[in-house]
Amino acid sequence: MKILSVKNLSRSFGGIKANDNISFEVDEGTILGVIGPNGAGKSTLFDLITGYTKADDGQVEFFNKNIFGLSPDKISNLGIGRTFQKLKPFADQTLLENVMIGSFVKEKNIKKARDKALEIIDFVDLIEKRHHFAKELSTGQRKRLEMARAMAIEPKLLLMDEVTGGVDQRTIPGLVELIKKLKKSGVTIVTIEHNINIIMEISDNVLALDQGKRIAYGSPKEIQQNKQVI
């Protein structure tokens, strides 16, 4: 079943077309990898899907429901979560408090929200850090916290922007395994990633962008052999 369908999505900033008539679909239970050089329009695409930026034209459907033009909070409540490339946790709150804030979207009971947050923190392997302030975490741990905060809204679809970006090489394998673990838990994932080896390892399909345009879409093998991508 198609969980996400993007049709002819476009957005210009002055004379620059950040996204130019982009279309693709994502099957439920799969991982779609999004690749492309800096300035290709990857993060803008996430902004348009999640309502952080208003598209000029196009259509976005989530489980066949048109969500084009909805605000970020309404899109989030439907079951679309997102992580950001630039990490901005509540620095002076604990890891548990950070995740509980997301839990309150679905659960108003404080004890239940706390229990749910602890379960998610354990899932991302940060349970021992639950009472640490977010500002005390390493970059890799903040990446896991970012994922935990997004998971707290109980997303059916999770958009992840460069989960492995900016972390040391020893941290990357653990983050990759966490992405695989998320998929096994039933979450559909769309992930932006510059590490091509990781994209080819975890993705069921890959979308390649360049200068705001879709230049390729297909299986990892098809993308690796595509002349435009190469």
Side-chain angles (χ1 to χ4, degrees):
M1 181 178 181
K2 303 297 180 188
I3 188 171
L4 180 68
S5 180
V6 174
K7 302 175 182 177
N8 308 119
L9 203 59
S10 297
R11 173 62 164 147
S12 295
F13 297 96
I16 299 174
K17 283 197 172 184
N19 280 177
D20 188 2
N21 209 37
I22 294 177
S23 299
F24 63 93
E25 293 180 330
V26 182
D27 290 327
E28 189 176 10
T30 65
I31 295 179
L32 173 68
V34 182
I35 63 173
N38 291 332
K42 304 182 297 298
S43 293
T44 299
L45 178 62
F46 275 18
D47 288 342
L48 299 182
I49 293 171
T50 54
Y52 283 87
T53 299
K54 185 177 180 181
D56 297 326
D57 195 14
Q59 187 171 335
V60 181
E61 293 182 353
F62 181 60
F63 283 123
N64 297 318
K65 176 183 174 63
N66 184 16
I67 63 171
F68 183 84
L70 294 183
S71 61
D73 61 309
K74 290 181 179 178
I75 291 173
S76 174
N77 286 335
L78 287 173
I80 299 179
R82 179 183 179 182
T83 71
F84 292 84
Q85 182 180 354
K86 295 181 179 179
L87 304 175
K88 294 182 179 180
F90 298 107
D92 293 318
Q93 293 186 335
T94 66
L95 190 152
L96 176 57
E97 290 166 339
N98 267 270
V99 181
M100 281 184 69
I101 291 170
S103 297
F104 284 130
V105 171
K106 298 286 185 180
E107 180 55 69
K108 305 308 178 186
N109 180 281
I110 294 177
K111 183 181 183 305
K112 289 182 179 179
R114 177 187 174 87
D115 290 344
K116 176 182 168 184
L118 286 171
E119 183 180 336
I120 294 169
I121 291 167
D122 187 43
F123 184 90
V124 300
D125 297 323
L126 285 176
I127 195 68
E128 293 181 359
K129 299 285 185 179
R130 62 192 181 278
H131 297 308
H132 288 233
F133 291 112
K135 62 185 177 184
E136 298 172 346
L137 302 179
S138 67
T139 301
Q141 291 167 342
R142 289 201 300 270
K143 293 279 188 176
R144 290 175 180 267
L145 172 56
E146 182 79 355
M147 295 170 74
R149 294 190 336 150
M151 289 169 58
I153 69 162
E154 300 178 11
K156 298 179 180 67
L157 173 66
L158 182 56
L159 310 183
M160 300 193 299
D161 197 343
E162 293 195 35
V163 171
T164 67
V167 302
D168 61 87
Q169 291 297 313
R170 293 176 298 175
T171 303
I172 290 176
L175 291 171
V176 172
E177 289 306 310
L178 182 53
I179 295 172
K180 293 178 180 178
K181 187 177 173 183
L182 270 172
K183 180 186 176 182
K184 287 181 180 179
S185 75
V187 179
T188 304
I189 297 169
V190 181
T191 181
I192 295 170
E193 181 59 62
H194 279 291
N195 190 316
I196 298 299
N197 290 331
I198 292 174
I199 282 289
M200 297 306 164
E201 177 184 348
I202 66 173
S203 301
D204 297 287
N205 287 296
V206 179
L207 171 68
L209 304 179
D210 187 31
Q211 297 182 4
K213 294 180 180 291
R214 165 183 153 171
I215 60 170
Y217 174 74
S219 69
K221 184 177 180 179
E222 290 171 331
I223 295 300
Q224 284 178 311
Q225 297 173 349
N226 186 284
K227 291 182 179 180
Q228 279 187 284
V229 174
I230 293 170

